[in-house]
Amino acid sequence: MKPLTFTYSVDPMPFKKPLRIAGHIFEGIPAVRLQLTDGVAVGRGEASGVYYTGDTVENICAQLEQARPLLSDGIDRASLRAHLPAGGARNALDAALWDIEAATSGITAWRRAGLRDIQSLLTTFTLSADDPAHMLEQLDSYADARAIKLKLDGNLQADSERIRLVHNRRPDAWFMVDANQGYSVDRLSDLAPVLHEAKVKLVEQPVPRGKEAGLEFIRLGIPLAADESLLDIQEVDQLVGRFQVANIKLDKCGGLTEALELRERARVLGLRTMVGNMAGSSLAAAPAYILGQYCDFVDLDGPSFIRSDLTPSVRYRDGRIELPLSLWGSAS
């Protein structure tokens, strides 16, 4: 393996509009953008970390600095997993290694991931847990969306009104909600009537991480997806009986390499899978897009939230996301 060096920068990644979820309002989510080289070829990666685990951009940068000696001796993706914990730093480096492998081998990242080609993907578009006027404005801006994800804030009355509003405005759209840990197991049943009334198809992370006990006894009639309750491959087995869908994010599990294994393990366990993102530019969405080719649900609208994306960028058309082949992981 050739010695590798890298440089990186932090982009504050401000949003076009604030995003409100249970317990948080985000004006943006900063990202670390990394460039890796072996002296000839270049690979790129991007990561934002996960706010609820304390994996900030400062933490990512610190871990990257600690990893410099490893890369100076040369490293591959398997060795990287053995030396760095799951999280943003490993995700950025893993993505850059996929990218540089494609450039040096002539084999695209998607072919190396077992795909013959890549297809555009139907993706959800996210609505903030906002007041009705702002929600309607945002909904109208999603005229092409065919799948909607509504953020909830844990207030049963307000959330019920939000759910009805979305359903009444867009009864044609596939519809899911994301509670971001805003409910308890006991209170989840109180939300059930309006969820069924609005034909909600999926409920993401209804309860706090660590307080999932009791979900195995809930008969909601709507699949539950684990997000905060699933960080990496070590945690997927514990979802069985409590969740029906595993939401895989590269910033949580530490990159596409582990994400593909996690998805396969989830499938063996009888779980469906979803790919999500922690906002980010099109560069962050690119490796997740490859994972999305294997997933049942796709939530990759992150680049549409930021004020300024990279060029070339992913394209959103007719409710789908499409990755330009030249963006990342190409063989040229």
Side-chain angles (χ1 to χ4, degrees), residues 46-317:
E46 181 184 299
S48 294
V50 179
Y51 71 91
Y52 49 83
T53 67
D55 191 22
T56 62
V57 292
E58 292 80 11
N59 184 65
I60 292 171
C61 293
Q63 287 195 10
L64 289 175
E65 292 300 335
Q66 293 170 6
R68 281 194 189 277
L70 297 173
L71 275 76
S72 65
D73 294 332
I75 198 169
D76 59 19
R77 290 183 284 110
S79 299
L80 181 67
R81 288 178 70 190
H83 286 93
L84 275 185
R90 196 173 81 191
N91 179 25
L93 284 169
D94 182 77
L97 286 169
W98 277 92
D99 199 19
I100 206 169
E101 284 176 28
T104 56
S105 69
I107 302 172
T108 62
W110 50 93
R111 287 192 181 276
R112 193 174 292 277
L115 297 163
R116 291 187 176 182
D117 54 20
I118 51 177
Q119 306 292 331
S120 66
L121 299 169
L122 181 70
T123 182
T124 59
F125 287 84
T126 304
L127 282 174
S128 180
D130 220 324
D131 63 81
H134 285 97
M135 285 182 60
L136 287 172
E137 180 183 354
Q138 191 173 13
L139 260 178
D140 289 345
S141 73
Y142 288 163
D144 288 341
R146 291 194 275 153
I148 299 291
K149 177 163 93 165
L150 170 65
K151 293 286 189 178
L152 307 181
D153 69 2
N155 181 311
L156 179 62
Q157 181 177 345
D159 284 340
S160 298
E161 292 173 359
R162 292 180 180 112
I163 291 167
R164 291 190 181 99
L165 183 151
V166 174
H167 175 61
N168 290 337
R169 191 73 160 197
R170 288 297 310 272
D172 59 305
W174 185 92
F175 184 21
M176 68 170 288
V177 299
D178 182 2
N180 280 116
Q181 310 182 83
Y183 284 79
S184 65
V185 171
D186 293 338
R187 290 182 64 235
L188 183 57
S189 59
D190 295 334
L191 198 61
V194 71
L195 294 174
H196 285 281
E197 175 190 329
K199 300 180 181 178
V200 170
K201 298 297 193 294
L202 184 65
V203 178
E204 185 176 352
Q205 197 61 43
V207 302
R209 175 178 171 84
K211 296 185 178 180
E212 300 90 349
L215 284 179
E216 61 267 35
F217 304 115
I218 294 292
R219 298 294 180 263
L220 192 64
I222 301 170
L224 303 181
D227 182 3
E228 288 90 340
S229 292
L230 172 65
L231 297 183
D232 56 31
I233 199 168
Q234 303 300 322
E235 298 186 341
V236 65
D237 286 51
Q238 68 193 27
L239 303 183
V240 177
R242 294 176 174 175
F243 294 92
Q244 293 73 50
V245 179
N247 187 350
I248 307 170
K249 293 180 179 177
L250 275 57
D251 268 319
K252 293 190 299 183
C253 71
L256 178 61
T257 302
E258 178 155 322
L260 290 167
E261 291 189 17
L262 200 167
R263 178 263 170 193
E264 179 60 21
R265 179 61 184 163
R267 186 192 66 80
V268 169
L269 293 170
L271 298 168
R272 286 185 283 175
T273 53
M274 178 178 184
V275 59
N277 52 198
M278 298 298 295
S281 76
S282 289
L283 178 59
Y289 184 83
I290 290 180
L291 176 64
Q293 305 292 314
Y294 289 109
C295 290
D296 302 287
F297 308 100
V298 175
D299 176 28
L300 292 179
D301 62 339
S304 71
F305 269 80
I306 61 176
R307 289 183 191 170
S308 180
D309 199 0
L310 304 181
T311 302
S313 62
V314 297
R315 292 186 288 267
Y316 294 101
R317 185 165 44 201

